[in-house]
Amino acid sequence: MDWETLCTQFKAYLQLERSLAPHSVAAYTSDVNRLQQFLALSYDPVPSPLALERTHLQQLMAYLYSLGLSAPTQARILSSLRAFFKFLILSEYCSEDPSAHITTPKIGRKLPHTLAVHEIDTLLGKIDHTKPEGVRNRAMLETLYSSGLRVSELIDLKLGHIYFDEGFVRVMGKGNKERVVPIGREARKHLRIYMEEVRAHVTAQPEFSNHVFLNKRGRRLTRVMVFMIVKDLASQAGIQQPVSPHTFRHSFATHLVEGGADLRAVQAMLGHESITTTEIYTHLDRSYLKQIIQDYHPRS
């Protein structure tokens, strides 16, 4: 089997069987292409994917290190290759995984950026509520912060997935895994205003008729557009640190943990598959407590 055929099948496997988002599929396939390109530089002819050994991958990792790629980038590439070899084994093209005994580069745990409650209030206060897009943006950001949604979940939110009376939204997360998340009173209030005063008067394109958040042309908002809206408001609010839509998700989780919320409950609301992913917010909480000691304890 040649590289092109197997890569095409791998892409279909990621899309159909693992239900990965388009950008994730693109990242996985790009990393596999990187392996092929490296082998083309080092071998003539290029070895078949089914003939690769651990040595080939060790050489690749050494090459990536020599390029100065960061440990997280190296680890991501190795993870993609492991997924590729897992696919080959599941498809019965080969029986052994040459990546099985390759050591993953150590990654220091990077704490995410978060906003304090007063910073979020200041940012939201910069929204111009006299404009239809301002009313939409307020509802959008209140929803992000109230329910901890990913930006992809926000822009894909459907009209029938908001339960105002019950106080929940139904979300389709990674891998098409559905979860139900509470939504706060303030977010529900601004969602109702948006739905009644703005959304009801937008002529939606047929393929986006059931989406909650639309642009002026009646199309679904893009991830980039939401990012630019957040970035512009953060600049107006004088917030110096990097701010993105995901900052609202991190802030949602951090404020819950700081307030004493059960970590399993936070995991369920965020849609994390593993509790270890959610545990990063306990580290944030410890950092906050340490700062309190430094600021207020007489012997700090």
Side-chain angles (χ1 to χ4, degrees):
M1 299 287 284
D2 59 71
W3 278 92
E4 184 178 356
T5 300
L6 289 174
C7 286
T8 300
Q9 292 182 13
F10 177 54
K11 183 177 181 179
Y13 159 77
L14 296 174
Q15 293 171 325
L16 303 177
E17 295 193 37
R18 293 191 53 180
S19 301
L20 296 186
H23 65 278
S24 297
V25 173
Y28 274 80
T29 53
S30 174
D31 291 336
V32 174
N33 288 334
R34 189 192 290 263
L35 170 61
Q36 182 186 7
Q37 292 164 4
F38 165 73
L39 293 171
L41 293 173
S42 308
Y43 296 91
D44 186 18
V46 177
S48 163
L50 308 182
L52 295 182
E53 299 177 354
R54 181 172 61 176
T55 303
H56 294 111
L57 299 185
Q58 288 173 329
Q59 291 171 349
L60 170 68
M61 299 308 294
Y63 173 69
L64 297 177
Y65 179 80
S66 72
L67 293 178
L69 296 183
S70 66
T73 300
Q74 295 177 49
R76 190 210 69 217
I77 293 171
L78 183 57
S79 176
S80 297
L81 298 180
R82 284 180 171 146
F84 178 59
F85 290 114
K86 179 181 178 181
F87 154 73
L88 295 180
I89 291 172
L90 288 173
S91 302
E92 299 184 349
Y93 289 131
C94 63
S95 58
E96 293 187 12
D97 178 1
S99 69
H101 300 292
I102 303 293
T103 303
T104 302
K106 290 186 177 180
I107 304 173
R109 199 165 215 185
K110 185 178 180 182
L111 299 182
H113 292 295
T114 62
L115 295 175
V117 175
H118 73 273
E119 290 178 311
I120 289 177
D121 289 339
T122 301
L123 186 150
L124 294 175
K126 297 300 178 181
I127 296 174
D128 185 354
H129 294 83
T130 64
K131 297 180 179 180
E133 60 266 30
V135 176
R136 178 202 63 199
N137 294 347
R138 180 62 183 268
M140 190 169 66
L141 298 187
E142 288 283 3
T143 302
L144 273 180
Y145 178 52
S146 174
S147 300
L149 304 188
R150 301 178 178 94
V151 65
S152 58
E153 297 167 347
L154 178 83
I155 63 177
D156 280 330
L157 189 63
K158 304 298 193 301
L159 295 172
H161 291 175
I162 303 174
Y163 303 95
F164 285 103
D165 294 337
E166 294 81 0
F168 287 92
V169 292
R170 187 151 51 95
V171 179
M172 191 64 70
K174 286 185 176 180
N176 286 336
K177 292 182 179 177
E178 190 177 87
R179 69 185 191 277
V180 177
V181 188
I183 183 167
R185 182 178 62 253
E186 195 70 11
R188 294 201 304 274
K189 181 184 82 173
H190 286 283
L191 268 172
R192 283 188 185 277
I193 294 172
Y194 163 66
M195 300 283 283
E196 294 169 2
E197 298 183 5
V198 177
R199 178 64 175 77
H201 304 289
V202 175
T203 303
Q205 297 293 324
E207 64 268 39
F208 302 113
S209 61
N210 199 30
H211 283 73
V212 175
F213 298 108
L214 302 176
N215 61 23
K216 294 177 181 178
R217 297 182 299 278
R219 301 181 68 84
R220 182 190 68 172
L221 294 179
T222 65
R223 297 161 61 94
V224 173
M225 188 172 181
V226 178
F227 178 87
M228 296 305 297
I229 290 169
V230 171
K231 186 177 180 181
D232 180 61
L233 289 170
S235 176
Q236 291 182 49
I239 298 172
Q240 300 299 316
Q241 70 176 61
V243 179
S244 72
H246 221 62
T247 307
F248 284 80
R249 177 173 164 88
H250 291 316
S251 301
F252 161 83
T254 302
H255 296 164
L256 284 177
V257 171
E258 287 178 355
D262 178 75
L263 204 60
R264 289 287 180 186
V266 177
Q267 176 193 4
M269 287 186 278
L270 292 174
H272 286 161
E273 189 168 321
S274 170
I275 190 68
T276 57
T277 307
T278 318
E279 283 175 348
I280 191 170
Y281 297 106
T282 65
H283 290 270
L284 284 168
D285 192 29
R286 291 186 198 116
S287 298
Y288 167 76
L289 294 175
K290 183 179 179 182
Q291 188 63 47
I292 293 295
I293 290 291
Q294 291 175 345
D295 290 346
Y296 300 109
H297 195 281
R299 299 214 182 270
S300 61

